[in-house]
């Protein structure tokens, strides 16, 4: 069986096998530089989320521009990133299964490992697993700042949990995880500000209560691509966890910035697709379907033509409305995925390009690492 | 980096790493037997679609019960299935890119290969590629029987294309591909019957026109899990291409059979997930999100509890409504995926189980083979 490598270095992008993810290297590097400069200017650390790209090559570029480490969302994703060179990884999620806790502890022998906890029962399990291999794990208490997903209640419940962590032998209380996911996607900046301001208030109260108990938050973490400019000026959050800024999907392109304009990042990830059937005027069928991009946040947007629309996805096909019949059989075009994170997770390779030439092939090393 | 194998043979299903796909081996084998018996009884061949399972192990079970070969949807999927032992594979789709046409021709040196064509420009390219490696490829003319996706117009245009194929040196005209995808998902059997009856009429007319020109259709192929009972009694279609019957997803469970009841297949594929956060009464958060199942055809259905609902997916999380608080932190439960095909494509392993024990680990060998 072939490794199904979609391209060769030096090839023109129109020659790569389709469907295939292309990364515009210059746009990617500008996105990295823009957020790095912002974090530097606002004296906050940047720990970008690797769940968006799952690529050690991209992680290395983020670290080279000043990121202090990475976020991952699962243990296996963290393993893949450490295997790819990462030395400081936060699993920004709860780890509950005994087999996974043991793997997390083993990983803490190879790199600095941090993890989130929102239930006291996890504390003893994590401590025992770390002790069993003589590792140390840094732990953030995840608080629910309004997202209604994971996280213990802010305030006293969070303080009690932090105390339990601090009292263990092989865990260290390192601070708070206070991320508001749904706020990232509110279209209007003022609405995001109002929601994040509430999150900041809850977090600040918890940090102050912890301080009274002698529990210092080295890390107060959260913020995504939609809200990082708000947390960054809170004088409270000190680590930003943006992920999607690296690629910018069609959904985030609809999120307005502080001035009502676009967020300060460019599309750098494209799904290259090809017309495989052209039997009727005004329509075409391409090879980009549900198995090469995720439609959970809306359909992809055609990047190369203003007047062509992607109107429907089946498993291996995409329907295109092409009223002026630009497209002929075999033609390629680029789509901006509706949602980058689950789209990247469908691919084994990122094809890095510059000036329409293939520059490098980057493995999506943490593809499928959902455990 | 670990291979991320989620289980060991002999383990209890509650111990497997989550999220993870479980296959109920007995239900799977009953589904295979049910459709095999139906095809035998109705004197039609069965060429099940491997795009649903992407597993050589499951393909072997289908072949052992009488399937004449497999359908695949892409060249790389076909390569994976041939590498896994398949000897007769139809790529039930158009192959247009020169690199992919060359790979298809190379594959035809290892197995019987069939492919669909809906444009005359593909004929010369396929013939040249087959000639270059001294291979022969069987070709079906794909006709659009109302689905509005791929396929040349039935009748005279299809006949002209078939003639061009028959006149080549290394291609053989083998018949018609006449599949109606959207009809599979019409909820009401009578509505499906009306749509498929129209497809049958168009196909019959084309077969008759071809016969007048001395072009015999060895294969008249189509039919999916929602409509196979209609094509099977057409005295026209002779190969059924059902795929989803093997697993039955939540979407197909909503499709009614001829008597208004369920289709004659059982759920055999489950996404095993685990509660990773339980901080509020009536709610829980599990580890099954957009990266382990596809929501394009609706949310998954909770299989183990009648009164728990899966209400929302983010990348690595699922929200559960659990009004009676059955679930505790760390508990596992099984979900019936909303849409099996793209869900399987997210996983590297199928964990085959019987009586809640792990019996075998099957690689999803064609996972990600979307080119």
């Amino acid at each position: 069986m072939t490794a199904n490598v979609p391209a060769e270095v030096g090839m023109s992008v129109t020659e790569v096998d389709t469907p295939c993810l292309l990364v515009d290297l210059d746009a990617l590097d500008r996105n990295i530089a823009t957020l790095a400069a912002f974090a530097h200017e606002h004296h906050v650390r940047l720990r970008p989320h690797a769940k968006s790209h799952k690529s050690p090559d991209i992680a290395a570029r983020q670290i080279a521009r000043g990121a202090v480490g990475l976020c991952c969302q699962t243990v296996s994703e963290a393993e893949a990133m450490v295997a790819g060179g990462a030395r400081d990884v936060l699993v920004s999620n709860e780890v509950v299964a005994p087999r996974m806790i043991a793997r997390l502890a083993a990983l803490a022998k190879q790199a600095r490992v941090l993890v989130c906890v929102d239930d006291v029962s996890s504390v003893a399990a994590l401590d025992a697993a770390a002790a069993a291999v003589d590792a140390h794990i840094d732990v953030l208490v995840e608080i629910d700042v309004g997202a209604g997903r994971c996280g213990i209640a802010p305030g006293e419940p969070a303080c009690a949990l932090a105390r339990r962590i601090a009292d263990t032998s092989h865990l260290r209380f390192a601070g708070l995880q206070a991320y508001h996911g749904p706020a990232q996607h509110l279209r209007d900046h003022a609405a995001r500000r109002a929601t994040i301001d509430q999150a900041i208030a809850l977090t600040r109260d918890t940090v102050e209560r912890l301080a009274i108990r002698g529990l210092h938050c080295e890390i107060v973490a959260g913020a995504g691509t939609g809200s990082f400019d708000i947390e960054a000026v809170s004088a409270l959050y000190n680590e930003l966890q943006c992920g999607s800024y690296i690629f910018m999907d069609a959904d985030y392109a609809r999120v307005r910035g502080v001035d009502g304009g676009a967020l300060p990042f460019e599309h750098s990830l494209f799904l290259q697709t090809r017309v495989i059937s052209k039997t009727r005027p005004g329509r075409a069928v391409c090879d980009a379907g549900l198995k090469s991009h995720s439609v959970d946040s809306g359909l992809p947007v055609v990047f190369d033509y203003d007047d062509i629309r992607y109107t429907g996805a089946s498993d291996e096909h995409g329907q295109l409305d092409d009223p002026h019949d630009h497209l002929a059989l075999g033609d390629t075009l680029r789509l901006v995925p509706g949602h980058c994170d689950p789209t990247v997770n469908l691919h084994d390779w990122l094809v890095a390009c510059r000036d329409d030439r293939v520059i490098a092939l980057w493995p999506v090393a943490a593809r499928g690492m959902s455990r």
Side-chain angles (χ1 to χ4, degrees), chain A:
Chain A
M1 186 163 36
T2 168
N4 211 21
V5 183
E8 293 162 22
V9 170
M11 192 179 257
S12 157
V13 295
T14 59
E15 295 174 279
V16 304
D17 297 335
T18 55
C20 169
L21 287 180
L22 304 181
V23 174
D24 178 332
L25 205 42
D26 291 335
L28 182 93
D29 283 343
R30 285 192 293 269
N31 288 344
I32 291 173
T34 296
L35 189 58
F38 177 92
H40 181 77
E41 184 184 338
H42 290 81
H43 308 290
V44 291
R45 296 186 293 271
L46 180 60
R47 182 184 289 276
H49 218 305
K51 78 198 254 303
S52 298
H53 56 66
K54 292 178 172 277
S55 156
D57 294 277
I58 293 179
R61 294 175 104 85
Q62 292 171 315
I63 301 287
R65 292 299 299 253
V68 297
L70 300 175
C71 293
C72 290
Q73 202 71 321
T74 68
V75 173
S76 60
E77 190 171 88
E79 288 171 340
M81 299 314 288
V82 169
R87 300 271 66 86
D88 188 333
V89 178
L90 162 63
V91 177
S92 58
N93 198 1
E94 280 62 32
V95 179
V96 168
R99 281 163 55 100
M100 283 301 161
I101 288 175
R103 279 166 61 171
L104 187 76
L107 194 66
K109 299 292 284 184
Q110 299 176 54
R112 182 190 181 197
V113 166
L114 306 93
V115 71
C116 294
V117 161
D118 72 0
D119 189 281
V120 69
S121 68
S122 302
V123 175
L126 282 165
D127 187 47
V133 295
D134 194 28
H136 286 80
I137 300 175
D138 285 356
V139 178
L140 303 184
V141 170
E142 180 164 11
I143 56 174
D144 179 2
V145 290
R149 197 170 69 184
C150 301
I152 196 167
E156 289 308 313
C159 291
L161 184 55
R163 168 55 61 202
R164 293 289 285 268
I165 295 162
D167 287 346
T168 63
S169 63
H170 286 73
L171 307 180
R172 191 175 72 90
F173 171 69
L176 296 180
Q177 171 78 8
Y179 174 68
H180 198 304
Q184 307 306 316
H185 304 278
L186 295 172
R187 294 290 183 251
D188 173 57
H189 189 268
R192 293 201 300 290
R193 175 178 296 283
T195 303
I196 296 295
D197 279 349
Q198 286 189 306
I200 291 170
L202 291 167
T203 306
R204 192 184 308 280
D205 174 71
T206 305
V207 168
E208 289 170 357
R209 287 171 190 260
L210 286 163
I212 289 166
R213 288 158 179 78
L215 292 164
H216 171 64
C217 292
E218 174 200 335
I219 296 173
V220 180
T225 298
S227 74
F228 68 96
D229 61 320
I230 307 170
E231 285 96 339
V233 298
S234 64
L236 176 72
Y237 282 69
N238 55 25
E239 276 195 17
L240 308 182
Q241 301 181 328
C242 309
S244 297
Y245 81 101
I246 195 86
F247 291 142
M248 286 297 288
D249 51 40
D251 190 59
Y252 263 117
R254 292 185 278 262
V255 173
R256 300 296 88 189
V258 63
D259 54 356
L263 298 180
F265 306 110
E266 303 169 53
H267 295 306
S268 70
L269 184 79
F270 303 94
L271 185 64
Q272 176 95 340
T273 182
R274 186 181 306 273
V275 176
I276 60 167
S277 181
K278 174 65 186 163
T279 59
R280 284 157 296 155
R283 302 285 296 279
V285 179
C286 70
D287 59 8
L290 299 171
K291 292 181 183 170
S292 57
H293 64 92
S294 187
V295 301
D296 64 87
S297 300
L299 294 175
V301 172
V302 174
F303 188 71
D304 298 300
Y305 300 88
D306 285 340
D307 57 348
I308 300 179
R309 287 191 316 125
Y310 186 104
T311 58
S314 48
D315 284 359
E316 293 87 0
H317 297 95
Q319 295 274 12
L320 298 169
D321 263 8
D322 176 19
H324 301 106
D325 285 312
H326 296 300
L327 297 173
L329 192 68
D331 282 357
T332 59
L333 68 163
R334 287 177 292 175
L335 307 175
V336 178
H339 189 180
C340 284
D341 292 23
T343 296
V344 169
N345 188 49
L346 292 164
H347 292 262
D348 291 298
W349 296 96
L350 297 171
V351 178
C353 302
R354 180 176 285 132
D355 299 333
D356 293 331
R357 287 275 151 197
V358 175
I359 301 294
L361 288 157
W362 292 337
V364 186
R367 196 273 324 147
M369 297 298 176
S370 300
R371 289 184 275 271

